Amino acid sequence: MACGTAYWRWGQLVSLNFLAGKFELKYVNQGGLRVRSYRSVNELPDDWNEALPIPTPMKREFLDALESSEINNIGTYYLRVTDQDGNVLAQANVFVSETDFSTFDTTLPASARSTIKRWIPGFMSFRIVEVGYFTMIGEGVAIAEGADLSCVLPAIDKELQEIADKEEADFVLVRDVPESSYESYLSALAVLGYSPSIGFPNTLLPVKWRRFEDYLADINSKTRLKFRNSLKIQERFDVEWKIVDDFRSMTGDLSRLWDNVNKKAKDYTREKLDQRFFDACSDKLADQCEVITFFHAGRMIAFMLNMIGGDDYIVLDWGVDYSFEHYRQANLYRAATLISLQRAIELGKSKMELGITNYTPKLTLGAEVVPLAYFIRHRIDKRYGRTLARLVTDSINLPDTSLHATAGKIGTRVHDMLAFEQRVKRDQNPFGASDILDRVGSYNRSSSMRLSGIYGLYPEFNSAQRSVVTFSDSRERVLLGTNSYLGLADDPRVISAAVDALHRYGSGCSGSPLLNGTLDIHKQLEEELAIFSGREAVALCSTGYQTNLAAISALCGRGDVVLMDARNHRSLFDGVRLSGADCVIYRHADMAHLERLLARTKGRKRMIITDSVFSMEGTIADLQTLVGLASAHDARVFVDESHAVGVFGCHGRGIAELQGVEDRVDIVMGTFSKAFAGLGGFVAGSADLIDYIKHNAGGHIFSASLPPSVVATVLASLDIIRKEPERRQAPLDRAKFMALELQAIGYDAPYHGSQIVPVILGNYTLALSAYKRFMDEGVYVNPVGPPAVPESSSGFRTSYIATHGWDDLKVAVEVFRRHYRDFYETVNREEDEHAA
Amino acid sequence: MNMLHDRVVRLIEDVPGVRRKVENESRLVEDLGFDSIKMVELMGAIEDEFNLIITLDDATSISTVADLKSMVQEAMQAQGVS
């Protein structure tokens, strides 16, 4: 059945008119190209093999073998491009298959992968229309002499789009483009939305010897000896080998042995060759393939299936019995490749192809490693083509071709693989290397999360943050990821105060607090906060982030040293960067490291900056030791109490109060967006210090003041914090309850004494997937991973608020309990694999 | 210089999760898989090994293992460490 026929007019666009809502395209016709698509080998025109030079895998009989074996259920399309006079310009082999790219992520343990697959079956699995060959390597497009690739490829692409639409494929991929054609493909395909990727390099041994002995004579003596020994398998291991033309009766063995190798393949593998495939090779390629068989004690223990092309000899498939008692010593793979080379020489072929992956033994043989490129585009969104191209490029480790003596001895061409990889990577970026926006083009992370179906950032709540919230999908979820620690975001007193302020003062302040942005309630808030925090004065800023930028950049400068805990919040690092001071980092909570750094920076002006409660880990700083070190080394201390104010200390002032060191901390800051249920931040200290900040801190002066409703929110929250000290214990009680419950189930959920409880899963991709899974199950958690925490600490950040209902928490515990086996089995499977 | 090379390479190899063979031209991020957290670990180890301080700016200017060795040498001279 002939399937589609597409007609693609190739020409130069000379005008574009917009008429009645439709684009009218006019071309100067440079000759129409016709693309005809065939679904079966039986329908191919008689001159398929002869109309133009085609590579071995495109020969009718090879296509027939693959098609009739029906492996992997691939859909096949054979394309022929002709000009308007019927001259054949090109042919292409196209197939549609499912490929699982999740194995490409080397940071994702197999067990975590299978868990994610259970939750998200389509995770990193894509349907792809590929131009190339399913089991062999080679350029999928063959072009007639004199035909123009830049005309042919757009015509083929149009047909590929139709196939992709019909097959509901995700991607179109043009495989195995040699380096010599890379530029031509790039110029034709980039404009069509394709991104280049490096491909798995092929290996090729040019056969220039008349006898096998001549080859051995050309290589160095050590390798020669090794090779000769490899061929003595009969006398050394009682292994008999022979070349078999008719292997129809052996295909069961071939299938079994191939399966052994496939199961152990470390590189990507997707072909699922079965007995039918080997049957088809035997039936359809009688004179064009043969098998080298290895027998021991009457059993086949290994084979190599090779194809015989017009001018090439192709090593296609390898199978072995790993339980063969001399498997390791016998090195049957090496013997098989050497016998293959003997055969290629005997048959008078000019080259032997050894295929992709498992490069070391091929390099030992002296093979040339041939760089190949892929071109990838998404059926709909070209950004995803770039994403997959980068993923593929990053996951292919190009072999080091510089270290093998045989290649030098026999004059094998050595390609600069690194240069090729770098070239391809440059071409993946739609912005040029000299463009300041090239960093935008090289950013891939969010896109790869979306592509894999695990992107869940920017969730949209559509209710106030409380124990249970609704999202934009109208579903309710228990909220284990809010910083509204005292549960004041929906407190009627707070809302009423904000509304009143809105009515009295209007919606916003137009300008800087220094000039036209200060209301009486700003002044009131500063004064009340100063009293609350036990400091002489307070300055307000419009966000917590900005508070740190403003304060640190005003107080520190070039030549100073700021010593920072490694896990400090980003705003603290950015504040130091803005100040120009030297930023020196000590390991998280490592006071001995801090002490060494203080000793090494003796004589310089120094400030130690730390969070008091660390937002991701929930750990609490040892301020008592820290202030002691500061005193001993004449350093100032700045403490960020963002996650502690309102929650810790007798009066709710934070960890410095809790640990009794307030008088030894020079500067504290806090945020209004957490316990205070508003927005903004404050910095508190001596009157002189705050006066200096209010007249020198850019982030304070050059930013509009907090709007009145927010100021009133914070004032009302502050009032509640002062009057209802019992609220402070509530989030801590709930956090402890949850940590203990999760630990009892078996989770790694350390309780550090704060309202933040991390749940460590050990892999960020798993965490992102689990976050989506928990969303589906009615629980919202924050997924965390690098760079916020190390990969090994990736997981959930859960946080607890005073108004979390106990019943809601119990619902969440049950969701954790139901999923524990997913994580637990993950761990077990890893251990199993490790043990194996 | 070789001793410095060996000491620096050992410290790099000791950082958990570092992949591939460490060579002079290896890029810490692209080739060896360093991120900001691993960099903090490495810089802490370098500081302790050579009795230096390394600023965040210095650390972020390093691309390759060779850069790191140069930076350590310069810091040793500037900070009077032998």
Side-chain angles (χ1 to χ4, degrees):
Chain A
M1 175 188 70
C3 181
T5 300
Y7 194 65
W8 169 250
R9 297 189 67 79
W10 179 254
Q12 181 188 1
L13 180 66
V14 291
S15 70
L16 181 70
N17 298 322
F18 191 69
L19 296 170
K22 290 182 179 175
F23 286 105
E24 180 192 39
L25 302 176
K26 289 186 178 174
Y27 293 90
V28 174
N29 188 9
Q30 293 180 342
L33 298 193
R34 187 184 180 88
V35 181
R36 179 144 190 177
S37 173
Y38 305 90
R39 294 303 313 271
S40 165
V41 171
N42 298 332
E43 297 159 3
L44 291 179
D46 293 342
D47 63 347
W48 178 263
N49 278 4
E50 295 83 29
L52 74 170
I54 58 173
T56 300
M58 197 186 277
K59 301 278 187 196
R60 174 194 294 272
E61 51 277 22
F62 286 87
L63 301 178
D64 192 16
L66 188 68
E67 186 184 303
S68 61
S69 73
E70 297 181 359
I71 54 168
N72 284 55
N73 290 321
I74 59 167
T76 48
Y77 293 82
Y78 313 113
L79 308 187
R80 171 172 271 192
V81 184
T82 51
D83 65 14
Q84 57 190 359
D85 299 324
N87 298 312
V88 180
L89 300 184
Q91 290 178 178
N93 185 60
V94 179
F95 60 91
V96 185
S97 76
E98 299 279 344
T99 299
D100 181 2
F101 286 87
S102 64
T103 54
F104 277 47
D105 181 357
T106 53
T107 66
L108 184 65
S111 48
R113 191 164 57 238
S114 65
T115 294
I116 296 170
K117 286 272 187 192
R118 212 159 47 242
W119 294 337
I120 309 170
F123 172 71
M124 291 306 283
S125 191
F126 304 117
R127 192 159 169 78
I128 303 185
V129 175
E130 297 191 34
V131 182
Y133 307 95
F134 190 66
T135 56
M136 297 167 86
I137 305 301
E139 212 172 338
V141 177
I143 190 154
E145 198 175 337
D148 185 349
L149 198 65
S150 67
C151 296
V152 167
L153 285 178
I156 290 176
D157 176 65
K158 193 164 188 295
E159 181 64 20
L160 295 175
Q161 179 67 38
E162 290 194 10
I163 296 170
D165 287 340
K166 191 172 67 182
E167 297 271 358
E168 296 182 344
D170 303 292
F171 289 95
V172 175
L173 189 154
V174 180
R175 304 177 59 100
D176 301 338
V177 173
E179 193 178 12
S180 55
S181 305
Y182 174 78
E183 195 68 49
S184 311
Y185 274 78
L186 182 71
S187 66
L189 294 179
V191 293
L192 300 172
Y194 287 81
S195 290
S197 158
I198 59 165
F200 287 101
N202 198 8
T203 45
L204 189 72
L205 186 63
V207 179
K208 53 192 179 184
W209 305 276
R210 294 184 60 192
R211 295 179 313 132
F212 182 63
E213 281 301 315
D214 297 341
Y215 163 75
L216 291 178
D218 272 359
I219 62 180
N220 71 27
S221 55
K222 197 175 160 191
T223 311
R224 182 163 54 242
L225 183 65
K226 201 157 60 177
F227 285 0
R228 282 196 201 285
N229 274 336
S230 296
L231 292 171
K232 292 178 184 165
I233 46 178
Q234 182 157 18
E235 54 206 271
R236 293 173 68 203
F237 306 108
D238 194 21
V239 173
E240 267 187 77
W241 65 267
K242 60 183 171 188
I243 310 282
V244 181
D245 294 329
D246 180 2
F247 51 88
R248 191 65 164 82
S249 61
M250 304 174 169
T251 53
D253 280 336
L254 303 190
S255 173
R256 172 180 59 83
L257 295 171
W258 180 87
D259 211 36
N260 292 338
V261 174
N262 190 49
K263 277 182 191 151
K264 283 188 89 165
K266 286 187 183 132
D267 289 291
Y268 121 97
T269 173
R270 62 173 176 174
E271 290 93 343
K272 293 185 175 51
L273 306 188
D274 55 17
Q275 190 169 352
R276 287 180 66 190
F277 171 77
F278 295 104
D279 285 345
C281 288
S282 174
D283 295 346
K284 306 283 183 183
L285 298 167
D287 302 331
Q288 288 164 289
C289 73
E290 61 189 18
V291 174
I292 303 167
T293 57
F294 296 85
F295 279 84
H296 174 73
R299 278 189 82 222
M300 193 193 290
I301 54 167
F303 80 93
M304 191 166 262
L305 171 65
N306 296 338
M307 301 289 147
I308 305 166
D311 196 33
D312 45 6
Y313 189 77
I314 303 167
V315 173
L316 191 65
D317 287 303
W318 163 247
V320 71
D321 182 350
Y322 294 110
S323 67
F324 168 50
E325 58 186 311
H326 302 298
Y327 168 71
R328 289 202 176 278
Q329 308 93 304
N331 201 341
L332 297 176
Y333 182 81
R334 181 187 288 158
T337 53
L338 289 168
I339 295 164
S340 297
L341 177 56
Q342 282 180 346
R343 286 294 293 157
I345 293 170
E346 283 166 18
L347 293 167
K349 304 299 176 190
S350 70
K351 58 187 176 187
M352 179 167 88
E353 275 191 36
L354 290 136
I356 62 171
T357 71
N358 193 22
Y359 292 101
T360 304
K362 297 166 184 175
L363 286 163
T364 309
L365 210 63
E368 174 186 345
V369 179
V370 183
L372 295 174
Y374 300 161
F375 288 85
I376 305 172
R377 77 169 168 84
H378 191 261
R379 180 166 65 98
I380 297 161
D381 187 338
K382 71 178 175 188
R383 285 177 306 172
Y384 288 146
R386 203 156 66 223
T387 303
L388 188 63
R390 286 196 170 122
L391 191 149
V392 172
T393 299
D394 289 344
S395 64
I396 294 177
N397 291 328
L398 294 176
D400 182 352
T401 53
S402 61
L403 301 172
H404 295 269
T406 309
K409 282 274 186 187
I410 64 175
T412 299
R413 185 177 171 198
V414 178
H415 297 263
D416 188 341
M417 307 296 283
L418 186 62
F420 182 62
E421 181 180 18
Q422 286 172 346
R423 165 75 206 273
V424 169
K425 283 183 172 177
R426 268 200 313 278
D427 292 332
Q428 286 172 343
N429 193 328
F431 300 90
S434 60
D435 188 334
I436 194 169
L437 296 181
D438 71 331
R439 57 173 55 79
V440 176
S442 61
Y443 178 71
N444 208 33
R445 195 170 185 192
S446 58
S447 180
S448 63
M449 283 194 270
R450 286 191 190 94
L451 178 63
S452 55
I454 58 170
Y455 186 86
L457 305 179
Y458 290 93
E460 292 171 23
F461 304 6
N462 64 6
S463 66
Q465 295 199 353
R466 53 172 83 97
S467 185
V468 172
V469 292
T470 53
F471 285 73
S472 53
D473 61 3
S474 301
R475 281 191 56 197
E476 285 193 337
R477 287 162 183 107
V478 179
L479 181 60
L480 299 190
T482 173
N483 301 330
S484 179
Y485 299 130
L486 299 181
L488 298 179
D490 63 342
D491 189 289
R493 294 164 291 179
V494 173
I495 293 168
S496 170
V499 170
D500 289 349
L502 199 55
H503 284 301
R504 175 168 174 187
Y505 294 99
S507 57
C509 300
S510 66
S512 159
L514 191 73
L515 298 174
N516 53 359
T518 297
L519 298 168
D520 53 359
I521 52 173
H522 286 107
K523 182 74 175 162
Q524 182 191 345
L525 179 57
E526 286 180 354
E527 288 174 354
E528 289 196 25
L529 277 170
I531 295 167
F532 168 75
S533 60
R535 304 275 164 178
E536 289 178 3
V538 157
L540 306 178
C541 285
S542 300
T543 71
Y545 176 92
Q546 201 174 332
T547 307
N548 281 333
L549 250 61
I552 297 169
S553 64
L555 296 173
C556 306
R558 199 163 292 282
D560 301 337
V561 175
V562 176
L563 299 112
M564 300 266 281
D565 187 290
R567 300 287 166 77
N568 275 351
H569 190 260
R570 170 69 180 259
S571 57
L572 296 168
F573 281 98
D574 287 355
V576 179
R577 195 180 292 257
L578 186 61
S579 77
D582 286 342
C583 182
V584 180
I585 301 167
Y586 59 92
R587 295 185 190 93
H588 177 50
D590 187 342
M591 293 294 104
H593 190 195
L594 172 61
E595 186 172 18
R596 291 195 295 277
L597 295 177
L598 283 164
R600 289 179 200 141
T601 52
K602 188 177 177 183
R604 297 181 67 180
K605 293 193 279 186
R606 292 164 297 177
M607 182 181 284
I608 304 168
I609 298 182
T610 184
D611 275 313
S612 63
V613 172
F614 288 86
S615 63
M616 292 294 133
E617 297 81 2
T619 44
I620 295 174
D622 175 6
L623 294 182
Q624 286 181 333
T625 304
L626 188 143
V627 296
L629 291 172
S631 299
H633 291 271
D634 293 324
R636 295 288 186 177
V637 176
F638 180 115
V639 176
D640 181 335
E641 297 267 24
S642 288
H643 292 271
V645 69
V647 179
F648 290 94
C650 191
H651 300 89
R653 294 202 288 262
I655 298 298
E657 184 192 14
L658 181 74
Q659 296 184 357
V661 295
E662 285 178 284
D663 58 340
R664 300 172 75 185
V665 171
D666 299 286
I667 307 122
V668 296
M669 69 76 63
T671 176
F672 300 142
S673 54
K674 304 186 191 334
F676 289 92
L679 179 69
F682 71 96
V683 54
S686 71
D688 285 345
L689 186 142
I690 296 302
D691 192 52
Y692 178 81
I693 285 176
K694 289 177 79 166
H695 294 87
N696 290 278
H700 172 79
I701 299 167
F702 295 100
S703 180
S705 298
L706 288 167
S709 56
V710 171
V711 177
T713 296
V714 178
L715 278 167
S717 295
L718 181 58
D719 194 42
I720 294 170
I721 288 170
R722 283 184 300 220
K723 289 178 178 162
E724 298 178 9
E726 66 278 7
R727 272 184 182 268
R728 288 194 265 291
Q729 191 56 39
L732 302 178
D733 288 345
R734 283 156 176 77
K736 190 173 184 181
F737 165 79
M738 286 298 288
L740 295 178
E741 286 288 323
L742 298 182
Q743 288 167 17
I745 296 170
Y747 280 97
D748 183 1
Y751 180 61
H752 297 294
S754 76
Q755 72 281 28
I756 299 162
V757 177
V759 182
I760 296 164
L761 303 175
N763 180 273
Y764 189 37
T765 305
L766 180 64
L768 287 165
S769 310
Y771 153 77
K772 286 199 80 172
R773 175 74 174 181
F774 274 47
M775 279 286 270
D776 288 343
E777 296 283 314
V779 176
Y780 175 85
V781 292
N782 291 309
V784 295
V789 298
E791 182 76 39
S792 58
S793 300
S794 297
F796 298 153
R797 172 198 188 264
T798 65
S799 55
Y800 300 92
I801 65 176
T803 52
H804 261 137
W806 291 104
D807 287 344
D808 296 333
L809 294 181
K810 285 170 187 165
V811 166
V813 167
E814 289 312 307
V815 171
F816 273 97
R817 195 187 309 283
R818 278 207 300 279
H819 287 83
Y820 176 67
R821 285 187 68 80
D822 287 334
F823 301 113
Y824 175 75
E825 284 174 359
T826 294
V827 171
N828 268 354
R829 280 197 299 274
E830 270 170 14
E831 285 170 354
D832 289 346
E833 282 165 14
H834 186 67
Chain B
M1 187 62 199
N2 281 340
M3 214 167 110
L4 176 79
H5 174 87
D6 293 345
R7 287 165 78 187
V8 167
V9 166
R10 180 174 52 77
L11 294 173
I12 293 172
E13 287 172 344
D14 284 349
V15 175
V18 168
R19 62 172 186 265
R20 294 196 190 180
K21 200 173 157 197
V22 178
E23 288 166 351
N24 222 23
E25 295 312 314
S26 304
R27 295 166 299 173
L28 294 172
V29 175
E30 296 88 343
D31 301 329
L32 302 177
F34 271 80
D35 57 18
S36 57
I37 291 166
K38 292 193 183 100
M39 281 298 262
V40 167
E41 280 300 315
L42 177 61
M43 293 309 143
I46 297 267
E47 284 172 338
D48 286 347
E49 172 80 12
F50 296 97
N51 196 27
L52 295 171
I53 60 156
I54 295 173
T55 68
L56 181 59
D57 277 351
D58 286 341
T60 49
S61 69
I62 296 164
S63 171
T64 63
V65 174
D67 294 342
L68 176 59
K69 283 162 36 186
S70 303
M71 190 211 63
V72 170
Q73 268 195 320
E74 284 167 23
M76 287 170 75
Q77 282 170 4
Q79 294 171 36
V81 179
S82 55

